[in-house]
Amino acid sequence: MIENIIFYAISSVTVAATLSVVFARKSVYAIMGMVLAFFSAATLWVLLNAEFLAMILVVVYVGAVMVLFLFVVMMTDADTVHHKSSKFFSVILAIPSFAFLLELIIVTSKTNYKVIDGGAAFDVKAIGAALFGEYIYATEVAAVILLVAIIAAIALPDIKPAEKLEDDFEPELANKDNRLRLVKMDTPDKEQNLEESAQ
Amino acid sequence: MIDLKDVLVLSSILFTFGIAGVIMHRRNLVRLLMCVELILLAVNINFVAFSNSMADISGQVFVFFILTIAAAESAVGLALIITLYREHKTVDLDKLTELRE
């Protein structure tokens, strides 16, 4: 019973945080809402017997990815992009969204799911055994993808912006005169050459 | 004991808000990526809930992989945004029409 009360409280916090992510005026506030959403989702996962994943979510997402988002928002002027928030568009967006949500809720509540009573308590050992036993190939592929992502994230911002050509830029047309030039040179004497090299 | 259907309703709400956010912020690249992260979070909550109720560890392993891929995706995406911003001085998707012209 106490579990249910905690679940509903945390769920409402999650939904509120999600609302702030979508409707916040400034991107920094949206990121703060996102941090709250991830924290409350981690709490939910603890209630659902996934303690290890909850810790991973807090460390990886709140600790790393959200900081990345913060840096990007501060480095770019993300808030100068004004979206046209006309009332007509809001209504057009709200009606299908609400219909979609209603449909999802109806479908999920009408379906009968196989539920094992009491749930299951997993420890980290079981997750490790599955990761490095049954799913070893997927783990290797995930490791390679992470490596590729690291290299891409380091190398991509290093690309220098291409120099733009001016509009009135006219390339110099090559002709016979400036492509080839005959130069008359004196042939030095052999003895003089030897003397210079000796010096 | 938490009812499975309650968790599914919660993740449906998160998913719907994520999609609505993607449509709302379709011009702002950073906000769009954040809403995609919300959608992934909804999917992860579903996986964890089913893993709990069916007493199967596979759901948690899949959440692990989804977290890995999502972290890689957002890292590369944000690096691309920085590169684009340096070139065009904007993150407005409507102004990034280089390939069309």
Side-chain angles (χ1 to χ4, degrees):
Chain A
M1 195 59 215
I2 186 79
E3 265 189 346
N4 276 313
I5 295 169
I6 296 173
F7 171 77
Y8 289 127
I10 292 168
S11 298
S12 42
V13 171
T14 313
V15 171
T18 312
L19 276 172
S20 81
V21 172
V22 176
F23 294 109
R25 293 228 160 233
K26 298 201 166 178
S27 298
V28 178
Y29 295 149
I31 289 173
M32 291 305 153
M34 199 123 198
V35 169
L36 183 59
F38 278 123
F39 261 118
S40 49
T43 323
L44 246 174
W45 291 6
V46 171
L47 283 179
L48 292 170
N49 294 324
E51 299 89 3
F52 179 64
L53 284 175
M55 268 164 53
I56 293 286
L57 188 76
V58 169
V59 170
V60 171
Y61 263 86
V62 181
V65 177
M66 284 302 116
V67 174
L68 261 183
F69 268 101
L70 264 182
F71 268 114
V72 170
V73 165
M74 288 175 187
M75 284 166 79
T76 62
D77 50 354
D79 286 333
T80 56
V81 180
H82 294 293
H83 54 271
K84 294 170 205 154
S85 56
S86 62
K87 274 189 179 169
F88 178 70
F89 179 70
S90 310
V91 172
I92 287 288
L93 179 59
I95 290 172
S97 301
F98 191 69
F100 182 64
L101 178 59
L102 215 64
E103 183 191 342
L104 275 180
I105 290 174
I106 288 170
V107 167
T108 49
S109 56
K110 284 277 167 65
T111 318
N112 285 318
Y113 298 106
K114 186 182 98 181
V115 175
I116 292 170
D117 281 335
F122 300 117
D123 52 353
V124 185
K125 203 174 169 184
I127 295 177
L131 265 181
F132 293 99
E134 195 180 350
Y135 294 101
I136 181 66
Y137 294 119
T139 311
E140 298 283 347
V141 171
V144 173
I145 287 173
L146 268 185
L147 178 69
V148 171
I150 290 169
I151 295 171
I154 293 172
L156 267 178
D158 244 11
I159 296 171
K160 299 277 183 298
E163 282 182 24
K164 282 177 187 152
L165 295 176
E166 303 290 331
D167 281 341
D168 54 347
F169 176 79
E170 286 178 15
E172 202 176 328
L173 292 175
N175 53 25
K176 195 176 71 182
D177 289 333
N178 59 15
R179 195 183 294 147
L180 187 68
R181 194 154 56 110
L182 288 177
V183 183
K184 199 169 195 179
M185 293 180 76
D186 298 328
T187 16
D189 296 335
K190 267 189 182 173
E191 290 175 12
Q192 204 179 334
N193 247 349
L194 281 174
E195 276 172 26
E196 277 175 6
S197 58
Q199 282 167 5
Chain B
M1 186 65 197
I2 299 165
D3 193 12
L4 173 65
K5 284 173 183 175
D6 290 350
V7 188
L8 293 185
V9 167
L10 172 70
S11 81
S12 306
I13 293 172
L14 289 197
F15 190 81
T16 312
F17 276 132
I19 286 185
V22 167
I23 298 168
M24 236 178 96
H25 298 290
R26 68 197 179 286
R27 287 183 61 190
N28 191 334
L29 259 175
V30 184
R31 297 295 286 273
L32 206 148
L33 257 184
M34 287 168 64
C35 292
V36 171
E37 297 289 330
L38 267 189
I39 295 174
L40 285 170
L41 181 70
V43 172
N44 282 339
I45 289 175
N46 257 5
F47 264 113
V48 170
F50 275 110
S51 160
N52 182 43
S53 76
M54 297 173 82
D56 193 342
I57 195 79
S58 302
Q60 294 198 16
V61 176
F62 275 105
V63 171
F64 204 84
F65 291 138
I66 293 173
L67 282 181
T68 312
I69 301 302
E73 168 252 329
S74 56
V76 175
L78 291 172
L80 276 173
I81 288 176
I82 291 291
T83 317
L84 272 175
Y85 182 75
R86 251 189 223 165
E87 186 97 10
H88 298 275
K89 302 285 173 232
T90 182
V91 288
D92 191 346
L93 267 177
D94 279 3
K95 287 179 185 156
L96 302 174
T97 53
E98 224 176 15
L99 280 179
R100 197 176 65 193
E101 283 158 2

